[in-house]
Amino acid sequence: MALHMSVEIVRDSEFSLTAQIQRFIKREISEGTLHPGTRLPSSRALADDLDVSRSVVVEAYGQLVAEGYLEATRGAGTRVVPHLSGPAVVPALLDTGRVLATRWDLRTGGRNLPAFPRREWLSCYQRVLHSASPADHDYPPLAGEPALRTQLAHYLGRSRGVRAHPDLIMVVAGFGQALGLLCTVLPRHGMDRLAIEDPAHPGQRRFLRESGLRPVPVPVDEEGIDVEALAATGARAVLVTPTHQFPTGTTLSARRREKLIRWARAVDGWVIEDDYDGGLWYEHSPRPLALQRLAPDRVVYAGTASKTLAPGLRLGWLAVPGDLMDPLLRGRARHDLGTETLTQLAFAELLHSGMFDRHLRRLNAHCRSRREALEEAVRRHLPGAEVIGRAAGHHAYVRLPRHVDEAALVDAALDRSVLVRGGAPYHARPSRDAPALVVGHAHLPRSGVAEAIREISAAARR
């Protein structure tokens, strides 16, 4: 294959032709014009194109190989080395810790997911494609497709008790975009701080700081967020996970719910309810209804399909107080042109057909069996430890005996090919709580849950 590459050379330059070719290729690689893995012309072809001796190009290529810019493989030619790309930009709300090849990855997040309902999704997507009108291929409404907003209002009303008209529901590209939009709106209401639970998702603190807000950690106990401590911060907005606190799994008590709403009214503030795994509840006691139903005028309800379907869909929603919708839409108009239409319509069909409810029943049964396997393995292999919090979602909080060195256990588990996070990184301040592990279990086979805990037990004994 006679490839071609444009190379600038000057014949009467003070630099040799070999040096000019070297410098040109190095500059193109450094500036990103020549991408990692790009195949270059053979020395003979490039020499012919430049009308220079082949030895000039051979020497230039050879020096660049020696310096690590190129690699030459017999039969495969000369290429830009594949490892020169810069570090990837990773969103703050994702787990960005070290990623190693391990047998058991117990982290929470996108990888901790059971199988996607491919058949149901394909069926709904095909129906949408067959019935889509030309208008469905136009730019979507910023607030989301009316069909999906209507189905979400019906679904959230019956399943979570959310009180919201379709006109007050906004479809977004996952919770990350929802939180980003809220971060643009809050300062215009005189709120430059956002209180968050402690412990909480460690990426939230960084996300808020980079969005221009000051995160204010507020402690969480067995009843949920401490509302008196929240009031003492002076903040007028708070982000909470009241149904299944992340990561401890506790539920905000009825008493605290009422106090939280009274606080919001007293300070003329907002409560952002992150119902991140709202459809996943497999405890025998009834699932608490959404906090939003107590004060639709003070609570912004946020949900997502990331835990129930797949994070790659980038599909979430907000149910908002009436006076927040217009500012949110104006904020969004400066960043994108709405959420992809066909995905919205397919999800609307999934909700309308009842397939989503059936999928949730299967998913809850799957997650329940993994939680039971985890609890049994912890009782058997980790004496003194216990799984706390509600049986819900894709993860569980395993409280360890106080004498355990959490950091040392996490490192020792990694040596045994188990990647798990301790509880400490989720705390904004040094914690007085017992050491803990945050275990993602939804993606594992039952035997895998037990084996991973056995390996952690062996690491603890060591």
Side-chain angles (χ1 to χ4, degrees):
M1 185 184 298
L3 300 176
H4 177 75
M5 180 172 66
S6 297
V7 178
E8 296 177 349
I9 59 172
V10 179
R11 298 190 182 277
D12 58 355
S13 169
E14 59 181 301
F15 298 103
S16 68
L17 293 173
T18 295
Q20 289 184 60
I21 295 172
Q22 288 175 224
R23 293 175 65 184
F24 178 84
I25 293 176
K26 287 169 68 172
R27 184 176 70 250
E28 295 295 280
I29 292 174
S30 300
E31 294 178 355
T33 306
L34 286 176
H35 299 274
T38 299
R39 184 177 175 184
L40 302 188
S42 68
S43 57
R44 186 183 304 278
L46 184 57
D48 288 344
D49 288 342
L50 298 179
D51 194 22
V52 299
S53 169
R54 184 187 176 196
S55 63
V56 169
V57 180
V58 170
E59 184 179 352
Y61 276 7
Q63 184 59 36
L64 291 169
V65 169
E67 294 180 17
Y69 286 90
L70 303 179
E71 61 181 13
T73 306
R74 184 179 297 275
T78 303
R79 299 176 184 271
V80 179
V81 294
H83 57 271
L84 285 178
S85 57
V89 177
V90 181
L93 294 180
L94 297 185
D95 184 344
T96 59
R98 54 179 171 167
V99 179
L100 302 174
T102 54
R103 185 175 185 192
W104 304 117
D105 186 345
L106 305 186
R107 292 173 298 165
T108 62
R111 69 199 66 78
N112 180 34
L113 285 172
F116 182 79
R118 297 170 184 265
R119 182 186 306 171
E120 292 87 347
W121 185 259
L122 179 59
S123 172
C124 291
Y125 209 90
Q126 285 177 327
R127 292 182 196 176
V128 167
L129 286 176
H130 288 153
S131 62
S133 68
D136 292 326
H137 297 285
D138 201 351
Y139 292 105
L142 275 180
E145 288 294 333
L148 178 54
R149 296 164 71 193
T150 297
Q151 290 302 321
L152 283 171
H154 295 173
Y155 170 75
L156 295 173
R158 66 176 168 80
S159 69
R160 303 294 293 116
V162 172
R163 293 174 175 167
H165 189 274
D167 289 346
L168 295 180
I169 290 178
M170 181 177 184
V171 180
V172 291
F175 180 71
Q177 185 182 51
L179 184 56
L181 290 172
L182 289 165
C183 287
T184 67
V185 170
L186 292 176
R188 296 174 189 172
H189 288 75
M191 304 175 194
D192 59 355
R193 290 176 288 173
L194 181 60
I196 58 173
E197 296 169 325
D198 187 18
H201 191 303
Q204 283 181 351
R205 297 188 289 274
R206 175 185 150 202
F207 184 96
L208 294 177
R209 285 192 296 268
E210 292 179 350
S211 299
L213 293 184
R214 175 187 165 196
V216 182
V218 179
V220 168
D221 58 25
E222 64 277 1
E223 287 191 76
I225 194 167
D226 185 336
V227 182
E228 291 183 1
L230 168 63
T233 67
R236 294 175 49 221
V238 62
L239 172 61
V240 293
T241 51
T243 300
H244 187 225
Q245 201 277 330
F246 186 84
T248 65
T250 60
T251 293
L252 189 65
S253 68
R255 181 176 69 92
R256 291 272 178 92
R257 286 173 173 244
E258 293 174 358
K259 288 183 68 173
L260 185 58
I261 297 303
R262 287 199 299 270
W263 164 86
R265 296 196 188 282
V267 300
D268 189 24
W270 306 102
V271 178
I272 303 170
E273 178 180 9
D274 179 10
D275 196 15
Y276 65 99
D277 59 4
L280 297 175
W281 184 273
Y282 38 91
E283 187 166 287
H284 295 299
S285 60
R287 178 175 59 190
L289 295 175
L291 176 68
Q292 184 265 5
R293 67 183 281 107
L294 297 180
D297 60 325
R298 287 293 165 188
V299 180
V300 179
Y301 176 89
T304 174
S306 293
K307 302 297 185 293
T308 52
L309 290 174
L313 290 176
R314 305 314 306 134
L315 191 59
W317 46 87
L318 292 174
V320 304
D323 53 355
L324 273 186
M325 179 60 86
D326 188 62
L328 285 170
L329 291 176
R330 290 180 182 276
R332 184 171 194 178
R334 293 191 295 271
H335 293 91
D336 68 18
L337 297 177
T339 303
E340 190 267 314
T341 298
L342 295 179
T343 296
Q344 292 189 64
L345 295 177
F347 186 48
E349 178 63 25
L350 197 71
L351 290 169
H352 175 70
S353 65
M355 292 184 191
F356 185 68
D357 286 83
R358 290 195 291 274
H359 165 67
L360 282 184
R361 289 186 182 277
R362 293 193 300 268
L363 188 56
N364 274 300
H366 172 97
C367 291
R368 180 187 297 115
S369 71
R370 272 56 181 175
R371 168 80 174 219
E372 292 170 350
L374 175 66
E375 292 175 347
E376 173 62 26
V378 168
R379 283 193 298 268
R380 179 175 298 181
H381 302 294
L382 292 175
E386 63 174 333
V387 181
I388 68 169
R390 298 301 190 107
H394 289 164
H395 79 282
Y397 197 78
V398 181
R399 181 175 289 160
L400 301 170
R402 288 197 172 273
H403 67 270
V404 173
D405 184 329
E406 178 187 297
L409 178 58
V410 169
D411 284 342
L414 187 59
D415 290 340
R416 301 189 69 86
S417 202
V418 179
L419 181 54
V420 65
R421 298 292 187 228
Y426 296 84
H427 288 264
R429 303 186 179 99
S431 172
R432 295 190 298 271
D433 291 345
L437 298 175
V438 181
V439 178
H441 56 67
H443 62 300
L444 298 174
R446 285 180 59 92
S447 59
V449 175
E451 185 169 343
I453 297 301
R454 280 198 300 270
E455 292 296 336
I456 293 175
S457 174
R461 290 195 302 272
R462 192 188 75 178

